[in-house]
Amino acid sequence: MNATVAERLTAAGRTRYGHFSEDGTEFIIRRPDTPRPWVNVLCNDDPGYGCIWSQAGGGYSWLVNAELNRITFWQQDLIRDDRGRFIYLQDARTGELWSAGYQPVRRKPEAFECRQGAGYSILSSQNSGVLSRLTVFVPPGAPLEVWLLEVTNLSGAPRDILVTSYLEWCLGTAHDTHREFHRIFIETEFIRERSAILARKRLWAIPNAKGQGWNRDWEGTAFHACSLPIAAFECDREAFVGRYGSLESPAALINGRLAGTSGRWGDPIASLQAPLHLEPGDSADLVFVLGAGRNDADALSLAEHYCNVTRAVEALQETQLWWRARLDGYSAETPDPGLNALLNTWLRYQAMAGRIWGRSGYYQPGGAYGFRDQLQDSLVFLPTEPDRTRRQILLHAAHQFSEGHVFHWWQPITESGAHSRFSDDLLWLPFAVLAYIRETGDTAILKLKAPFVEGPPDTIRNHCERAFDLSLSRRSPRGLPLIGEGDWNDGLSAVGWEGKGESVWVGHFLCYLLPRWAELARNLGDGERAAQYLQAAQDLQSAINTSAWDGEWYFRATCDDGTVIGSSACREGQIFLNAQTWSVISGVCPPERRRQLMRTVRDRLYTAAGPALLRPAYTVPDERIGYLTRYAPGVRENGGVYLHAATW
């Protein structure tokens, strides 16, 4: 008998650590000690609150920008994963201690399950006959996260359980190396009648309106609150952990006393403790919330609203419906149920939550917008919510300079960024516009206006054409595009530093874009520009096939001194993936070469883990090429399976 779709889906995603749910909308982790943290990025689009929860309970929280406006402290350590927002459970009679998640106590549970879903994570753990089920989520439209905890007594005897939360405040820029300095600016206050802790910071390490550094308040009030009356609290880390102590067995819990310290002179944390009495078979529900309000009153109002079990359950349902509305309306059906689960739920969810709204993750916890990256990511909305793609296009257009170049990345809140010398960044704007028009037929977007970084508004059409015109003006004597500081492969960071190095891939990219824009211009009555762009595409195609064909594949680039990268004559980095795949995507590669070229790609670049970006990887740093050659062989751009590009 053939296996059911559900059975095939479960088998497709099954490892010794977990598997997909039957409908593919959850990944179920059966043990907490995964090889690397399995994290879920939980966030909303407005006001831009986000948090990350790993299967072990690690992670951090932020508002709008995970680098400049971090709410909780976190250390990047993918081996230990021992920083986060935690809930301790303790038997009040025996002193036995464990965690609602695996961290930080790391006691081996009698049973464990973590369900990572779209917009929520559920960590279930059974210890000493007590089952806890912690559901965490970020409601749409709210600057906070909700922790909904259910505790059930399965032991057959009455139990008195102490539930104790714990988190460390950051409040502002993520300060991995200056924690002891930043802590002296934070003030904490316990509001007993609200079962809440408030936290404020008198310093935000970004310039104020006058451009002065170190002279600005953190704007808002952070809060941590509970739905139950609080028996004890603590706002000082030393008092909670104990000198030379640890979060695994904090002194305050081992000694049975939270001291109730708050104010401006401690090491700021938030810890709330509530007692539960459970008869055999009884369950109790409680809610913790963590977030940031505009001021004290707003913080307390938000805490009061969400610190209610009924409203928290309703908010969870609203969150799940909100995410289903984002993900429904698109359905891919292939013979592979695992691939269907990725295409219909997980890849799209990750693009929205992790890439566009959260812009943060365990490996790269920053909060900036990348000019190319988030434009690419925004295409996820085209089949269902194209207005969101249009908004992203307008946002990026506003981070272009009037000459046509753009920010490589910029930081929301400060609007500071890196002025790009990359040769490809500016071209992703017309790429996204073309994709939007192809999907929607809405050419009216071309008439919408967006400002430049340093100039008055202009139409999206003119924004795009300034990008094309600047790019076409930057060509070598052989007619190939100059690579500048790099192209889609950021690691080619030294290739064109002196303004002479060439990018074959940017040539392919232009040959893909220019004919499509020419057709658009012709339909708009601009035959002159259409002819200009078509001729430019023909010239580029001729230059590439004349100067960049190595006999079996295409070069990738040339250095300022003329050294060829991606040639059979190279000892390392002989063949690059993108220069081959995009030669076919763009139509640069003549039809008679294409089949053999792709066979070469498969033979030389495919691995068991997917197609490598290049082979063989570099083993010796090369200052002419850049930091790509400084990675360990097979890591990231140096021959790794870099999914950002490999999926093309």
Side-chain angles (χ1 to χ4, degrees):
M1 180 182 295
N2 291 331
T4 66
V5 171
E7 290 169 341
R8 291 168 58 209
L9 176 58
T10 300
R14 183 177 293 280
T15 73
R16 61 194 178 105
Y17 296 96
H19 56 84
F20 285 119
S21 62
E22 289 189 358
D23 62 2
T25 61
E26 292 182 328
F27 195 81
I28 304 168
I29 302 165
R30 295 297 188 189
R31 50 188 287 188
D33 55 337
T34 56
R36 286 292 184 271
W38 205 117
V39 307
N40 200 358
V41 181
L42 309 174
C43 61
N44 53 38
D45 60 339
D46 182 28
Y49 188 92
C51 61
I52 290 180
W53 284 77
S54 78
Q55 89 295 336
Y60 53 94
S61 308
W62 67 89
L63 180 61
V64 178
N65 189 319
E67 182 175 352
L68 299 185
N69 205 20
R70 187 82 61 83
I71 304 297
T72 62
F73 178 76
W74 180 73
Q75 282 184 316
Q76 188 180 45
D77 188 335
L78 274 64
I79 296 175
R80 295 174 62 183
D81 188 24
D82 60 352
R83 295 287 183 161
R85 300 123 309 176
F86 303 126
I87 294 180
Y88 294 91
L89 298 175
Q90 186 174 28
D91 190 305
R93 299 175 184 176
T94 66
E96 285 183 278
L97 184 68
W98 62 94
S99 312
Y102 182 59
Q103 292 282 19
V105 178
R106 295 190 299 278
R107 176 175 170 176
K108 186 176 181 180
E110 297 154 11
F112 176 87
E113 179 183 271
C114 173
R115 288 180 173 262
Q116 303 281 35
Y120 64 92
S121 295
I122 304 173
L123 283 74
S124 300
S125 183
Q126 183 174 323
N127 296 269
S128 295
V130 176
L131 174 65
S132 65
R133 177 183 170 93
L134 174 63
T135 303
V136 294
F137 61 96
V138 174
L144 54 85
E145 62 199 80
V146 178
W147 314 347
L148 179 59
L149 180 67
E150 179 185 28
V151 183
T152 304
N153 178 10
L154 303 178
S155 67
R159 303 292 292 273
D160 288 299
I161 303 296
L162 294 173
V163 180
T164 308
S165 64
Y166 177 88
L167 60 93
E168 300 176 25
W169 296 116
C170 177
L171 307 186
T173 54
H175 45 262
D176 288 347
T177 59
H178 295 90
R179 187 179 187 282
E180 290 300 311
F181 175 72
H182 280 270
R183 72 177 180 83
I184 62 180
F185 297 97
I186 297 178
E187 175 184 49
T188 58
E189 180 183 3
F190 177 58
I191 311 295
R192 181 170 295 280
E193 62 272 19
R194 300 293 190 93
S195 296
I197 291 171
L198 302 183
R200 315 169 193 90
K201 192 173 184 182
R202 296 165 184 260
L203 175 72
W204 199 353
I206 60 178
N208 63 15
K210 296 179 181 179
Q212 300 168 337
W214 304 97
N215 197 21
R216 177 177 180 173
D217 291 341
W218 182 69
E219 296 166 2
T221 300
F223 60 91
H224 178 50
C226 182
S227 61
L228 294 180
I230 296 303
F233 76 95
E234 185 55 67
C235 295
D236 178 54
R237 181 167 171 261
E238 183 173 341
F240 185 88
V241 176
R243 183 164 292 278
Y244 304 112
S246 71
L247 290 177
E248 184 177 1
S249 55
L253 299 183
I254 298 303
N255 297 333
R257 180 175 178 269
L258 273 65
T261 313
S262 63
R264 293 186 59 189
W265 297 275
D267 192 334
I269 66 167
S271 178
L272 298 171
Q273 187 176 84
L276 298 177
H277 176 77
L278 299 173
E279 292 295 325
D282 278 358
S283 293
D285 296 311
L286 63 155
V287 177
F288 290 99
V289 294
L290 165 66
R294 295 184 299 273
N295 48 44
D296 290 8
D298 187 40
L300 290 171
S301 175
L302 288 164
E304 181 178 10
H305 178 79
Y306 285 96
C307 275
N308 175 284
V309 172
T310 299
R311 282 197 289 267
V313 171
E314 292 172 351
L316 173 61
Q317 294 169 346
E318 291 171 3
T319 302
Q320 292 170 324
L321 289 173
W322 190 86
W323 273 108
R324 284 266 49 99
R326 307 285 78 77
L327 298 170
D328 286 347
Y330 175 89
S331 179
E333 294 297 333
T334 78
D336 186 338
L339 181 59
N340 294 341
L342 290 175
L343 292 174
N344 294 328
T345 300
W346 287 103
L347 297 179
R348 301 177 65 236
Y349 170 66
Q350 290 171 21
M352 296 175 194
R355 299 282 303 169
I356 298 175
W357 297 324
R359 303 182 309 283
S360 194
Y362 258 30
Y363 188 85
Q364 191 171 17
Y369 283 101
F371 196 91
R372 83 163 74 96
D373 292 358
Q374 273 69 45
L375 276 174
Q376 293 174 355
D377 301 330
S378 72
L379 302 190
V380 70
F381 295 118
L382 282 180
T384 54
E385 296 182 284
D387 282 354
R388 291 184 180 271
T389 306
R390 182 176 62 179
R391 275 182 258 165
Q392 199 72 34
I393 288 169
L394 291 168
L395 175 66
H396 286 245
H399 291 83
Q400 181 186 34
F401 294 83
S402 56
E403 294 89 346
H405 50 84
V406 301
F407 278 129
H408 184 55
W409 55 260
W410 77 91
Q411 291 281 14
I413 297 178
T414 65
E415 289 299 302
S416 59
H419 202 147
S420 176
R421 292 180 58 215
F422 286 77
S423 52
D424 71 306
D425 284 342
L426 70 174
L427 294 173
W428 292 102
L429 183 63
F431 173 87
V433 171
L434 285 166
Y436 172 83
I437 292 174
R438 183 171 64 247
E439 181 73 27
T440 66
D442 177 22
T443 57
I445 190 175
L446 298 170
K447 298 179 181 179
L448 296 179
K449 290 189 175 183
F452 292 101
V453 173
E454 58 358 343
D458 203 348
T459 64
I460 293 298
R461 178 181 176 182
N462 285 340
H463 275 268
C464 292
E465 290 176 351
R466 291 190 196 203
F468 278 129
D469 293 347
L470 178 60
S471 184
L472 290 173
S473 73
R474 302 190 297 198
R475 284 185 276 183
S476 70
R478 298 196 299 174
L480 295 177
L482 297 175
I483 194 170
E485 191 178 346
D487 59 18
W488 199 7
N489 190 328
D490 292 354
L492 298 172
S493 56
V495 171
W497 195 258
E498 298 173 8
K500 299 175 184 177
E502 302 164 318
S503 170
V504 174
W505 175 80
V506 169
H508 294 322
F509 194 29
L510 280 166
C511 286
Y512 173 85
L513 293 171
L514 288 168
R516 289 162 175 80
W517 198 270
E519 181 182 0
L520 183 62
R522 186 183 301 109
N523 292 338
L524 296 172
D526 191 349
E528 182 178 351
R529 185 172 292 273
Q532 175 192 348
Y533 284 1
L534 282 175
Q535 185 61 54
Q538 292 171 11
D539 293 345
L540 282 165
Q541 183 171 357
S542 176
I544 292 169
N545 282 312
T546 300
S547 303
W549 179 248
D550 194 46
E552 292 186 65
W553 60 82
Y554 288 93
F555 300 152
R556 180 59 176 84
T558 61
C559 297
D560 285 320
D561 65 1
T563 300
V564 174
I565 299 171
S567 163
S568 58
C570 300
R571 188 177 69 85
E572 297 177 333
Q574 291 180 350
I575 180 171
F576 282 68
L577 178 67
N578 278 357
Q580 319 318 321
T581 54
W582 274 84
S583 75
V584 176
I585 292 171
S586 65
V588 167
C589 183
E592 62 272 15
R593 286 181 183 168
R594 293 175 189 169
R595 194 172 296 277
Q596 179 57 50
L597 176 64
M598 296 312 293
R599 276 200 294 267
T600 300
V601 168
R602 182 170 291 277
D603 291 344
R604 296 184 64 100
L605 290 172
Y606 270 56
T607 73
L613 278 188
L614 64 92
R615 275 192 164 184
Y618 292 93
T619 60
V620 179
D622 190 331
E623 287 189 354
R624 298 170 304 172
I625 296 174
Y627 74 78
L628 178 157
T629 64
R630 298 182 181 276
Y631 287 119
V635 173
R636 287 178 64 92
E637 286 99 332
N638 189 14
V641 178
Y642 206 88
L643 297 182
H644 192 177
T647 49
W648 293 83

